[in-house]
Structures are given as C-alpha cells and as structure tokens.
Amino acid sequence: MTEHEHYEAVVVGAGPGGAAAAATLAANDVETLVLERGVDAGSKNVSGGLLFAEEDAPYTIGDLFPEFRDAASERPVTESYIHNVAGDKVHTIDLDRVHHEGTAWCDSVLRRRMDSWLAERVHELTRETGGGLLTEVRANGLLRENGEIVGVTCDELDPIRADVVVAADGVNSELARDAGLMDYAEPDEYFQGVKAVVDLPDGAIEERFDVPEGKGASHLFAGDLFDGVRGGGFLYTNEDTLSIGTVFHLDSLAEERAEPHELLDSLLTHPLLAQWVDGDDDEVEYSAKLVPDSKRAAHPSPHEDRLLLVGDAAGQMQAQGPIIKGMNHAVSAGGLAAEAFVESRTRGNVTAGELYEQKLHREGVMDDLRPTRYRASSAVTEHDAVERLTDAVVDSPLGRVGLRALEGTVQRLFNSPFVLGTIPDTKTSYVTIPRVLAEELGERIEGESDVEPPSLADRIGDLTYDTDIGNPHIEVVDESYEASGTAVTACPVSAEGFGGGCYRSETVQSNGDEERVVSLDTQPCVECGTCAVVAETDWEHPRGGKGVEFREG
Amino acid sequence: MRTVTLTKGVPDFREGQVSFDEDGHLERGDTPTVMNPNDEPALRASLQAKVRNGGTASVMSMGPPGYGDVLREAMESVYADDLYLLSDREMAAADTWATAITVATGIQNMDEEPDLVFAGFKTADGETGHTGPQTAWCLDWPLVTHVVALDVDTEAGTLRAKRLVEGDADEIETVEAPLPAFVVTDPEFEPSYRRAEHRLTHKDLREETRQRAGEHEDHMTVWDHSDLNLDPDFIGLDGSPTIVSGVDPIPKAPAERDATMVDPSDPEEMAGVVDEMSRFAGGD
C-alpha cells in the first residue's frame, strides 16, 4: 500500500463557503486542495439568489475577491417589496428599511457564472500554495485512522490525508452525514425552493421595473396564491434575466401533497406579475434546491476531529421572515473556519474545531442563525392549538379591524429585523395575515397574465444531464407508498400522473393482493435532496461530472 | 522520461466530409485531412506518462507539409512539447514497410533516445495495423500491443501494461517489459489519474499548451531523407514491396424497401405524399 497523498487543507465544494475558506487558507500560505464534483463550479448550485454583504460580517465575498461585483454578480438590488395577495387583490409593502439595514450591498447572482468565476480565482490562489482546485471529483466520505477523521475518500481519487477538512459540500453534505453531524430526518428542518430563470429582451428590466440603469429590484410574494402551503415567492432581476421562484416549508409541502412546479406556475401566471413578465419571454432553466432552516438545522457545534462544516452543510441558512440569507453566512463561516485552522496551528492547545465554534458565536453568526428570541416565541406560537386560535382571530371581524387599524404600522412591523426573526413558522404568518391584509387594505389588480409556463416534461427536457448509466445515485429502500409516496408529489421533477419524472406511483398485483408502490428513475434528478428527507431512500450524489448540469443556477 | 507518439493524417471518413468520384475512388482534394482517430488513445497514453512520470512528450508523423495541422491538433490533445514531421517527395506512396523504416530512423535521429514510443492500433485509411509493430521491429524494442492501461516505473526502468487478449474485454493480461519499449494502444485505453497531484499537473499543462499550440510551427522539426541519411531506394514508393493489383468497389447493399423520389417543389407530387401519409395518421 502506497502512502496516501497529503495536503495541509482539503476543502470540499467550490461554492461561496468553500471559496471563502480556500482563499483565506491560501492567504495564510496553507497548502490547499479544493474538490468540486460538478463539471464546472456552479453547475450543481442553485440559489434564489440574493447575495448580501452585511456590514458587521467578519468576511464578505467582496473583501475576499475585490473584482467580484464587477465580474461575477448580476445587478445591485436597491429596491425591495413584499406583495400580500388575496385573489386579485394585492397590498404592497416597501421593505426598504429591512433590506438596507446593516447591509453594505446586496447583489442578485446566478450561480453558474458566479461560482465558476470564483473557482478560477481560487485555483490561482491555491495553486501558489502547492494545491489547487479540481472539478469532477466527488468526495464521498471521510478517511479515518484508528477511528479518527484524517482526510477524505473520493470516487475519482485515492484517499487523501489532510490536517483539516472543510466540508462546504452543500445541504446534502455527504461528509457531514458520514461524521454523524447531520441527518436527513425531519422535513421541518428544511425549505424547498424551485426557480425559473426567464430571459428578457435588452433594456426590459429598466423599463418594466422602473429601476435606474444597471440597478435591480427584489419582489416577494405571500398570501393565498399557494393553496395554503406555508411559504412564499420571489422575483429578482438579474443582468438580463429574472429569477422567479417559490420557497416552501418542506413539511407543509409534504403534508399538503402539493406539486412544487404547480405552485411556481401559480406565481408565474398571477396577474400581478403581468407587468414584469409576458408570454413572449422564454423560460430558460428550471431548478430546485433544498434549503436548511438554520433556526432548526444550524449545527451549534459543526465540527468533529479535523472536519469543519461550512454553509449549507452545517445548516447555516437564515430565513429572516421572507428574506433568505445563506451565501453571506457561508462566506463568513468559510473565512472563520480557515482562520481557526491557522490559529490552531500556532496555539497548539486548542483544536481548529473548537476555535471555529467559538468564532461562530463571538462573531454573531450563530445568533443570526439561531436567534434566542425565536426559540422563546416558537415554543408557544407553533403549538397547533395556538395556531388555530390565532388564525381564527386574525380572520375574524375583530382581527380584521385590528389589522386595518394597523395600516400605518404594518410597514414598520414588516421592516423590523427583530419582528421578522420572531415570526413563527405557522400558516397564520405565511398565509392568513398576508391574505387578510390584502383583502382589507389591498387594491385590485387589473388585467391578466398571458404567461404559459412550460410543462414539467419540457422543463426536464431543457436541462442538461450527463447520466451515469447503470449507476443510479439514489435507491428506494422502502418502496411502499406509505413510506415513500410523498416523493411523487414533493420531488420537483415528479408529479402524480406524470410518467417522465423521477418518482411514479404504481399499483401492483401480488398473490391476489393489490399494493401501491413507488418506482424511481434517477435520470431527471436535479439533486435537490427532497426525496432523501420525505422518502425512505439511500441517497448519494452522482459521481464527479455526472448528473444534472445547471447553466444558470 | 521521454516519449514519442506516432500519428498520421487520414481522410475524414465521417459522413458529409468524405467525397468519392463516380468510380468509387476517394477524392483526396475534396476530403479534409484529420488526425487518425485511433491515434487518440495513443496520445492519451503519452499524456498520462508525461503527467504521471514527468519529462517531455513528442509527436511524430510522416507526410506532406500540410500535416502540420494534424500535428497541431495532436499537440493540443497531448500537450506535446515538440513536433517532428518527416516530409519529403522521396517518402511519398510508402507502404507500411517503407514507412516503418523511415519512422524508426526518425526516432533514432532524435537527440535523446525516447523511453517509450506509442502508436494507435490501425489507421482509418490503410487499416493494416502493421506500421506500429514493424517500427518496433526496426528499432529492435519490446512490443506490447492492445494496451488498455499502463503504469511506468521510471526507477526500475520498466512498464507494466494491461492488454486485451483476443479482443475480448473479459480477458485481460498484465505484462511487464523493460524500457525502452513500443506500446500500441487499444481504442479501449483509459488513462488513470488517481492522485490529485496528477490532475493539478494536467490542468497546468493544459494552460501551458494553449499558448504553445498557437505557435506550433516554432516547435516543429521537419526532416527530409537526407537529414535522416536514408537511401531513396529503400523508402517511399521505391522501397515498398507491397503491390496493389486492383481495387474493387464494394457494391451498395440493396435497399430493403422501395423508394419513390419526390420533387419537393412540385405541389402535385407533394400532395401524393400527404395522401400516402394520411393513411397512417390518427393511430389506426
């Protein structure tokens, strides 16, 4: 047996968290190897996506990569609104204050362009240290010696030893799972987002959104347009496309047996959007992603031996009411993880993991991710009986009078980061309040949408795949409908009665009995991980370079 | 570690590229010349040796001056350091025997003796598969053919190769040979880069070569028969014992269905097509 290859640091995943960690390690002369499973960095990555640079953040992408905003982001987003919808009545609130509060800047991004640009810079920086960045390599687990984590194992490479392993391998992190730090147990720890990128003619963004040249806007949507599923919608302006999507609590999506692509279509075809999108605009990419809800999922101690978890892999995705912040926290965490490793080498009496955990708390990252006030309020408000009661009160004549009286205050409440951080994850806050607000205070939208969203089959057909034939990356462990049937609806590329998706339900005859089972074809998989949570599966990422390849992301 | 890969320019036999005259003879002037597709695995093997064992990779071809483009293509795929073109009217119309003598002399004429010579298993035009083994015979080196995987141990001065036996993928034998050696790659050859270090080197070389390939002529050495000190009687057409007595075109396979030719600009004929097709519309 030959000696294992060794690098001082191995970073798994070339998203913003991995890039921040690698750049910081390289700046400290740490020999750093970055492993990315996509054919190109960003080809596996999906975001809404707004990237915030917060004033008090220990690291921002712009500090680490000075040309970032010119080269890799779409538009500075300077305006933000939330639209509360009830049928064709809409009540709009300007979120200007909360959007700008503590924010140095906020840009819309598309991940293929962003991450592949970052990866080129990271390769240059890390190559100087004797390492570098490799694509099409999937780290599939941890290398252990005498029970201790000492490196990573890969599909494409022999095992590699490292003094520190930074797992920035996303929401479905295989390294975090291997270490026993994360699992796929609870749907209420996740949101699921689906997104359509829509191509617009030149100059259309300035014209239709009434924004200054080169600037952009963010529009959020809540209310009764999603069949009571808890969540909302978003629309962000990119350079010459729009990112339009929906984000729902996975437990709600699963319970309601809702079809994510249909909920997205409800948003795309709502008359409110007709001012921004018309039937001639082309949908160029459909994508989906699982989003950890840091309030429940952020690991308070995201490390084990030499392994440090960063970004989605550690559940570091903050939903501040309707505003979702993930990439900025991943950047902070990546920088802090790198810093912790460098410091641990000189100090000697404390591990990189311990230092990393301390830094996450000291720099306020942890308090953003798991606010204590949320823990206090959710214990009461998310109780079923309390929810039913408040829901009924808000919807009652008395509640309506109260909300009407609040008219002047509503805008202020929605603009309070403190209040947003406390909002309970109940139907009342996601659906009932926005609906009643719209009914009582909203204005009727004239006109109709002429948008005809593509069918699910066409959306899948437009995606690029390099299928690993004969080597499916997901296996259904329990194929009974009771155990795995939810995947048929919750999977963003499957639907009841649709034969071209990943999951299908079938009735089979056996020994005179009829049994309802699910079958799986992983070819259309967009690797979001939904089925790993809602169904009984054995879930892995495809080998390096295989599977879906997002062009926009 | 120094390797040489042999390559040849061949007519592009792909549909839409190749053209034949009425008698079925290849129209050389109307058919573009491309790198012999079977040479790609040989080039991949030489790249693997360069990446994993270091050193330089050269590419050699015999042919008219226009083959420079083929060599450029080879340089891009193998990140070659230098190119050798053996080019001379006296070398023209050579069979495999005369070609092997010329190429082997070219290899021996290099400043430094290579450790490995790679060749593809046959050319797309001649399809004999002789030139490689005959060149190895001229050099009097060990020959390993049908190679699908290769490891070189520079310290021990040996290679270890997996080769297909009788062309069946299920039968693979592992052989060892001393260097220098001649390796003929199988189309199934797969390079293997299991260390991150290899892949990083590979990435560096790609960057480096992008620039070099643009000015490939600066890295090309052209030798004629006098540079190689070869007697014209033993090379080219005069040195070729092979006699082509005749060429029989292979008759076209008879069509299994009747075909009716329709002029698409004639509305009446097109109406006939619609009538014919409408019988199959509607699913019955």
Side-chain angles (χ1 to χ4, degrees):
Chain A
M1 179 91 195
T2 49
E3 267 298 275
H4 287 314
E5 210 177 346
H6 173 268
Y7 291 85
E8 287 177 335
V10 169
V11 176
V12 180
T24 311
L25 287 163
N28 286 284
D29 294 322
V30 177
E31 181 198 33
T32 306
L33 175 69
V34 185
L35 302 176
E36 161 60 41
R37 70 186 178 90
V39 69
D40 187 11
S43 65
K44 296 290 185 185
N45 304 28
V46 176
S47 290
L50 295 185
L51 174 52
F52 287 84
E54 294 187 320
E55 278 159 359
D56 61 355
Y59 289 88
T60 69
I61 201 93
D63 296 340
L64 292 167
F65 303 94
E67 304 98 50
F68 175 83
R69 297 187 71 197
D70 285 338
S73 75
E74 298 291 317
R75 277 173 190 258
V77 170
T78 51
E79 298 174 18
S80 180
Y81 306 89
I82 185 162
H83 306 275
N84 295 298
V85 179
D88 57 358
K89 284 185 87 177
V90 177
H91 178 247
T92 298
I93 294 172
D94 190 338
L95 293 177
D96 190 65
R97 204 187 118 207
V98 71
H99 180 79
H100 287 105
E101 174 138 331
T103 304
W105 50 264
C106 167
D107 286 1
S108 55
V109 295
L110 289 169
R111 296 296 297 279
R112 179 67 181 265
R113 178 179 171 205
M114 166 177 144
D115 294 23
S116 60
W117 182 86
L118 283 174
E120 277 178 38
R121 303 289 87 69
V122 166
H123 179 66
E124 287 163 11
L125 294 169
T126 50
R127 196 77 193 104
E128 301 267 309
T129 69
L133 181 146
L134 293 175
T135 53
E136 296 184 67
V137 175
R138 168 180 165 252
N140 58 19
L142 296 161
L143 178 69
R144 286 183 172 86
E145 270 168 25
N146 304 319
E148 196 195 329
I149 297 163
V150 294
V152 294
T153 57
C154 307
D155 287 347
E156 292 78 14
L157 300 175
D158 293 336
I160 300 169
R161 287 178 59 99
D163 303 337
V164 66
V165 176
V166 177
D169 52 342
V171 62
N172 304 309
S173 170
E174 285 166 276
L175 301 190
R177 255 192 301 165
D178 189 340
L181 292 170
M182 304 291 272
D183 58 31
Y184 286 133
E186 301 302 328
D188 69 0
E189 291 179 356
Y190 299 92
F191 302 94
Q192 184 208 65
V194 295
K195 183 175 80 166
V197 176
V198 178
D199 197 19
L200 255 49
D202 280 351
I205 288 177
E206 278 79 2
E207 202 179 298
R208 297 185 198 175
F209 289 85
D210 191 25
V211 287
E213 172 90 33
K215 300 283 195 258
S218 151
H219 291 269
L220 304 172
F221 308 91
D224 72 354
L225 68 180
F226 303 121
D227 303 336
V229 186
R230 292 201 320 276
F234 62 84
L235 181 157
Y236 306 134
T237 52
N238 300 315
E239 200 158 293
D240 44 23
T241 58
L242 300 178
S243 289
I244 304 176
T246 45
V247 182
F248 297 101
H249 279 275
L250 186 55
D251 54 332
S252 176
L253 206 57
E255 273 160 29
E256 306 282 342
R257 289 292 165 119
E259 298 281 4
H261 67 285
E262 289 177 2
L263 298 177
L264 174 64
D265 292 348
S266 311
L267 177 62
L268 284 165
T269 56
H270 194 276
L272 175 60
L273 272 76
Q275 57 188 308
W276 302 310
V277 196
D278 65 45
D280 294 334
D281 302 329
D282 224 15
E283 181 177 314
V284 291
E285 186 171 274
Y286 174 73
S287 57
K289 173 181 171 28
L290 219 52
V291 181
D293 180 359
S294 68
K295 290 195 290 295
R296 294 157 196 268
H299 201 293
S301 182
H303 59 93
E304 178 83 29
D305 300 333
R306 301 179 192 182
L307 175 73
L308 312 183
L309 309 183
V310 157
D312 273 10
Q316 294 164 344
M317 171 78 77
Q318 177 196 11
Q320 194 180 43
I323 299 171
I324 292 186
K325 295 180 176 177
M327 291 177 279
N328 57 320
H329 294 307
V331 169
S332 289
L336 294 176
E339 206 182 86
F341 171 67
V342 173
E343 244 177 84
S344 74
R345 289 205 300 187
T346 50
R347 286 174 54 174
N349 58 345
V350 56
T351 68
E354 288 161 353
L355 277 173
Y356 172 51
E357 184 179 334
Q358 285 171 20
K359 285 170 186 288
L360 283 175
H361 285 94
R362 203 185 310 139
E363 296 287 347
V365 179
M366 255 318 173
D367 199 47
D368 281 346
L369 297 171
R370 294 189 85 119
T372 15
R373 59 181 180 274
Y374 170 81
R375 260 175 283 160
S377 63
S378 65
V380 183
T381 50
E382 284 173 28
H383 193 276
D384 269 0
V386 177
E387 186 191 338
R388 275 197 299 276
L389 184 67
T390 48
D391 214 50
V393 170
V394 172
D395 216 352
S396 72
L398 189 66
R400 284 168 182 267
V401 169
L403 274 176
R404 266 204 305 276
L406 275 174
E407 177 155 16
T409 335
V410 166
Q411 179 134 336
R412 199 158 54 80
L413 285 176
F414 266 82
N415 272 290
S416 157
F418 181 84
V419 172
L420 291 180
T422 325
I423 287 178
D425 290 331
T426 61
K427 201 177 150 193
T428 313
S429 34
Y430 277 104
V431 183
T432 316
I433 292 178
R435 176 173 59 81
V436 174
L437 268 176
E439 281 169 357
E440 296 300 322
L441 304 173
E443 283 173 31
R444 209 165 289 281
I445 295 289
E446 304 292 330
E448 264 179 50
S449 168
D450 64 346
V451 171
E452 283 177 32
S455 67
L456 195 49
D458 286 342
R459 282 171 165 160
I460 293 168
D462 284 342
L463 287 169
T464 306
Y465 295 96
D466 180 358
T467 306
D468 196 356
I469 295 157
N471 192 16
H473 62 284
I474 309 171
E475 274 174 42
V476 181
V477 178
D478 183 343
E479 62 173 23
S480 71
Y481 194 80
E482 293 70 42
S484 301
T486 312
V488 180
T489 50
C491 165
V493 287
S494 304
E496 284 289 0
F498 173 55
C502 281
Y503 286 89
R504 278 167 290 247
S505 67
E506 297 166 344
T507 308
V508 293
Q509 314 275 345
S510 61
N511 300 329
D513 282 344
E514 257 194 10
E515 203 192 345
R516 201 168 175 206
V517 297
V518 296
S519 65
L520 168 66
D521 168 12
T522 56
Q523 195 281 324
C525 178
V526 289
E527 297 163 33
C528 67
T530 298
C531 60
V533 183
V534 303
E536 292 296 320
T537 64
D538 210 347
W539 202 101
E540 289 186 341
H541 288 116
R543 286 191 294 152
K546 296 293 179 184
V548 71
E549 180 192 338
F550 291 117
R551 309 271 179 185
E552 307 287 338
Chain B
M1 178 85 187
R2 185 174 188 86
T3 71
V4 180
T5 308
L6 307 179
T7 186
K8 187 186 180 189
V10 297
D12 190 346
F13 285 110
R14 285 172 305 173
E15 193 87 39
Q17 299 288 331
V18 68
S19 89
F20 295 100
D21 69 13
E22 284 171 3
D23 301 328
H25 292 139
L26 180 70
E27 300 219 63
R28 214 44 222 261
D30 295 337
T31 304
T33 298
V34 294
M35 191 179 74
N36 175 40
N38 278 321
D39 295 345
E40 277 168 29
L43 290 165
R44 284 204 294 272
S46 102
L47 177 58
Q48 180 195 289
K50 182 177 159 91
V51 168
R52 285 172 44 177
N53 305 101
T56 58
S58 307
V59 180
M60 183 180 282
S61 188
M62 185 185 96
Y67 273 30
D69 286 341
V70 173
L71 285 173
R72 182 207 150 96
E73 196 186 331
M75 178 175 245
E76 282 172 349
S77 63
V78 76
Y79 314 149
D81 296 276
D82 46 23
L83 306 170
Y84 292 85
L85 181 60
L86 315 180
S87 188
D88 190 335
R89 280 183 181 281
E90 300 288 354
M91 297 174 187
D95 67 2
T96 62
W97 179 255
T99 304
I101 289 173
T102 312
V103 171
T105 312
I107 291 167
Q108 283 161 338
N109 200 48
M110 294 173 79
D111 288 342
E112 202 186 317
E113 183 182 65
D115 303 288
L116 273 171
V117 174
F118 295 102
F121 98 118
K122 63 182 183 184
T123 54
D125 51 359
E127 294 219 342
T128 63
H130 292 173
T131 312
Q134 283 173 337
T135 306
W137 183 84
C138 290
L139 291 167
D140 197 20
W141 285 8
L143 169 69
V144 189
T145 57
H146 298 287
V147 170
V148 292
L150 182 71
D151 272 312
V152 179
D153 186 338
T154 42
E155 251 171 61
T158 56
L159 68 80
R160 183 181 279 241
K162 284 190 175 141
R163 58 188 302 267
L164 283 186
V165 182
E166 292 175 10
D168 185 337
D170 291 329
E171 288 175 59
I172 290 176
E173 69 174 13
T174 304
V175 297
E176 229 176 60
L179 302 178
F182 197 105
V183 169
V184 177
T185 53
D186 190 86
E188 305 278 312
F189 177 86
E190 280 298 333
S192 158
Y193 301 104
R194 296 287 303 177
R195 290 172 73 85
E197 182 199 342
H198 295 155
R199 290 181 184 225
L200 291 167
T201 306
H202 194 286
K203 215 169 152 174
D204 290 344
L205 291 175
R206 187 167 54 214
E207 281 307 306
E208 238 179 80
T209 312
R210 200 167 288 163
Q211 210 168 355
R212 193 162 54 230
E215 44 210 47
H216 70 285
E217 280 175 6
D218 297 348
H219 301 276
M220 186 158 75
T221 305
V222 183
W223 284 331
D224 62 16
H225 78 277
S226 58
D227 294 322
L228 299 178
N229 200 20
L230 279 165
D231 184 338
D233 287 348
F234 291 90
I235 60 171
L237 186 60
D238 294 346
S240 296
T242 308
I243 296 164
V244 179
S245 63
V247 177
D248 295 322
I250 298 168
K252 273 191 172 174
E256 285 175 17
R257 280 169 293 198
D258 292 331
T260 310
M261 300 302 278
V262 178
D263 178 1
S265 59
D266 182 337
E268 255 175 57
E269 284 189 35
M270 286 306 285
V273 174
V274 175
D275 286 346
E276 199 66 23
M277 305 268 293
S278 62
R279 290 195 288 137
F280 302 101
D284 37 46

